[in-house]
Amino acid sequence: MRASLLTPSEAAIVASVTVRDINRVIDEKILPAALYTVDDGRRVQLAACPLVGFYFRAAKALTAEKRLTLIHSFSERITGDMARHPFVGWNKANWTVRDGFLSVTLSDFIADADDRSTRLEATRAMVVEDPGILGGSPVIRGTRIPVYDLVASVAAGLPRERIFAAYPGLDETALDLALLYGEANPVRGRPRRFTILPPDATLSAERTVPRRRRA
């Protein structure tokens, strides 16, 4: 079952916007109050993500005032059951709003948010935090591959082939989901150093030091 409340980082992924955009829709009250909360940290309803995506991605075509009006119209069509079960059966509803000569549909934004939330849920299933494995650092399930090492490696520009060579149990899907996990769960506080061990690296240089002869 998908989580119905998302952190700003998670909501940004599902809505295909930036974390700054998510904070804007809360600070400027662009979303209806029922679709987010600030009581115990900022959280956005999963059901609100298509509205957020629409607001920012339609900015070049529509004025802010018109987008706000449309968000209000769309949000009225999200029933309580729809909010509790995001995107389940939403394709049966009418998501087209007509205003004079203007006709706008939310369907594409819903389909996109549905796809992105499915991938986000897949990262939660793939990544585990077990105190008995690497001190509880997030790893790919069934392995000891540190997720944030993968994220750091890609950010550093290492070729994927080199990463796969260093971690034989890794594949394209797992790497993509690991990167998504890192985006949804950015490291907080003082940056940590994450490393990847290249396949041809050695842990230490072997060097022979001649002993001094006693006089």
Side-chain angles (χ1 to χ4, degrees):
M1 183 176 178
R2 303 183 193 184
S4 59
L5 281 177
L6 306 177
T7 65
S9 295
E10 292 172 333
I13 289 173
V14 177
S16 191
V17 298
T18 66
V19 174
R20 182 180 179 183
D21 291 336
I22 296 297
N23 287 322
R24 267 195 65 191
V25 299
I26 295 174
D27 293 335
E28 299 177 18
K29 297 179 171 54
I30 293 170
L31 284 176
L35 294 178
Y36 66 89
T37 179
V38 294
D39 293 338
D40 185 22
R42 295 186 169 207
R43 295 291 186 273
V44 176
Q45 290 276 359
L46 175 56
C49 290
L51 302 178
V52 178
F54 162 76
Y55 183 82
F56 288 104
R57 290 151 67 187
K60 292 183 179 180
L62 300 170
T63 64
E65 182 180 4
K66 178 58 68 177
R67 283 176 282 146
L68 284 173
T69 300
L70 289 167
I71 281 181
H72 179 73
S73 299
F74 288 134
S75 64
E76 289 182 332
R77 302 185 184 190
I78 302 176
T79 65
D81 188 61
M82 284 179 168
R84 288 188 294 271
H85 303 91
F87 315 140
V88 177
W90 281 34
N91 59 332
K92 298 177 183 178
N94 178 17
W95 296 107
T96 300
V97 172
R98 291 180 173 82
D99 182 7
F101 67 89
L102 184 66
S103 178
V104 179
T105 181
L106 195 67
S107 296
D108 289 345
F109 297 95
I110 292 171
D112 187 46
D114 187 14
D115 178 64
R116 287 172 171 271
S117 65
T118 298
R119 294 188 67 236
L120 183 61
E121 199 61 30
T123 69
R124 296 192 181 108
M126 185 194 73
V127 177
V128 296
E129 297 180 31
D130 185 339
I133 303 175
L134 299 183
S137 296
V139 299
I140 294 177
R141 184 180 297 277
T143 76
R144 296 176 65 85
I145 301 176
V147 170
Y148 288 115
D149 280 8
L150 298 177
V151 174
S153 296
V154 172
L158 288 181
R160 288 194 168 213
E161 294 75 14
R162 186 174 173 185
I163 297 174
F164 293 139
Y167 297 106
L170 191 66
D171 59 23
E172 290 278 359
T173 299
L175 179 56
D176 288 339
L177 290 179
L179 297 177
L180 189 63
Y181 180 91
E183 186 179 351
N185 302 275
V187 179
R188 304 296 181 185
R190 186 176 180 179
R192 292 174 51 193
R193 293 184 65 185
F194 301 106
T195 58
I196 181 172
L197 184 65
D200 57 347
T202 55
L203 291 176
S204 62
E206 293 185 359
R207 182 180 174 187
T208 302
V209 179
R211 291 184 179 182
R212 280 188 178 182
R213 292 186 178 181
R214 293 183 179 179

